[in-house]
Amino acid sequence: MTIERQAKLLRIYIGEAEKWHGQPLYMAILLKARELGLAGGTVLRGIAGYGANSVIHTANILRLSEDLPIVIEFADSAEKIQAFLPTLNEMVHEGLILLLDAEVVHYKASKE
């Protein structure tokens, strides 16, 4: 699979506790993106953050949170990202979705 030099970066901010049909929302988003053929995705777990409600969630031992911030990123063509957005909007009830211009410098899969 290849990505054109000009691409879009899709970044999604949600809480770790968010669910979609009984499974973690971050995993449901990742699986749906793979099913739709996006080039790849990464889920990152934050150590601290806050969102629109201004409640701080942290991994600090004194304030251990069970709802740490999650960031999910995808980079692909504008067409593939745009096709994914309606599904994503349905899945994400609370969070932030960003769409950024990106320039792909290197993207190569192993020859397995």
Side-chain angles (χ1 to χ4, degrees), residues 12-108:
I12 305 140
Y13 295 85
I14 59 171
E16 184 177 28
E18 299 292 320
K19 301 281 187 208
W20 177 257
H21 298 290
Q23 71 177 344
L25 178 58
Y26 63 87
M27 187 55 73
I29 291 171
L30 195 68
L31 292 172
K32 181 53 87 171
R34 185 178 68 172
E35 177 185 314
L36 295 175
L38 270 69
T42 301
V43 177
L44 306 162
R45 186 178 192 221
I47 59 170
Y50 71 93
N53 63 11
S54 295
V55 174
I56 293 181
H57 301 272
T58 180
N60 181 320
I61 195 68
L62 298 176
R63 283 185 58 178
L64 194 58
S65 174
E66 294 179 3
D67 191 20
L68 292 172
I70 297 288
V71 179
I72 312 159
E73 292 189 340
F74 300 97
D76 209 321
S77 68
E79 295 78 22
K80 283 191 174 181
I81 296 290
Q82 287 294 333
F84 183 44
L85 288 179
T87 301
L88 192 58
N89 282 325
E90 181 183 332
M91 295 174 83
V92 177
H93 297 160
E94 185 177 323
L96 173 65
I97 300 170
L98 297 177
L99 187 56
L100 308 160
D101 290 326
E103 182 177 347
V104 176
V105 175
H106 183 85
Y107 180 72
K108 209 177 264 190

